[in-house]
Amino acid sequence: MTKINVLYTSTEGNTQSFVEKLQAFAEKNGDVLETRMVGDETEYANETEPYVAIVPTYLTGGTGTGPEVTEIFTNALGDYLSFGRNSQYLKGIIGSGNRNFNVQFNLTALRYADKFHVPMIFAYELRGSIFEAEKAYNLIKPLFGE
């Protein structure tokens, strides 16, 4: 049995839905996926175990990827990852978005991966499918042993 820790944020329920699919797939394989949603009201804590973060993309401003494009709704997770030494336990990022936004698809996750110097593990669209959850699970499980 492998224990996989996941921190995520979800504003529209899409990320929550993907996390539930990921959790069901982990349980089906005899593993435990421990999840915590981080939002504006989450109290900061010091992480003590490795984890992956799952973040959707919500942006405002501009039409590309430059500095005029700013994150909205996901800042609480970014601040939490930056708190204390939490980023030292971060193993990688999974991101989501809407492919209709072209170069901005998954931009938040790409920025987090760059900022925290961790791999961008996987990207999926909107709520993700069970097949995408399986693929993400297979990519993150080795990060936690076995």
Side-chain angles (χ1 to χ4, degrees):
M1 178 186 79
T2 301
K3 179 180 156 194
I4 301 167
N5 296 307
V6 173
L7 297 180
Y8 70 98
T9 191
S10 185
T11 58
E12 299 287 328
N14 288 344
T15 307
Q16 175 73 38
S17 175
F18 184 76
V19 167
E20 289 168 1
K21 290 176 185 107
L22 191 60
Q23 197 165 34
F25 196 80
E27 288 174 6
K28 179 179 157 185
N29 285 280
D31 295 323
V32 175
L33 193 85
E34 290 196 5
T35 65
R36 259 186 304 141
M37 188 163 91
V38 176
D40 290 333
E41 297 178 14
T42 301
E43 289 189 34
Y44 289 1
N46 291 305
E47 294 301 315
T48 59
E49 296 181 337
Y51 63 93
V52 296
I54 303 178
V55 62
T57 299
Y58 292 96
L59 306 168
T60 186
T63 58
T65 60
E68 75 283 359
V69 177
T70 58
E71 313 293 328
I72 54 174
F73 305 128
T74 61
N75 295 324
L77 180 60
D79 293 344
Y80 187 90
L81 300 178
S82 294
F83 176 75
R85 296 167 51 165
N86 286 348
S87 65
Q88 291 180 357
Y89 293 95
L90 179 61
K91 294 291 211 174
I93 304 289
I94 294 174
S96 70
N98 186 325
R99 292 189 194 280
N100 288 341
F101 293 107
N102 299 316
V103 296
Q104 290 183 336
F105 169 73
N106 194 46
L107 184 57
T108 300
L110 292 167
R111 287 179 168 179
Y112 280 24
D114 185 55
K115 177 180 180 179
F116 297 111
H117 309 289
V118 296
M120 176 50 230
I121 299 169
F122 186 73
Y124 63 94
E125 186 172 25
L126 301 173
R127 297 176 88 78
S129 69
I130 189 67
F131 302 108
E132 289 170 314
E134 178 181 1
K135 187 170 183 178
Y137 165 82
N138 288 326
L139 291 168
I140 63 174
K141 182 175 176 172
L143 302 174
F144 294 87
E146 280 187 53

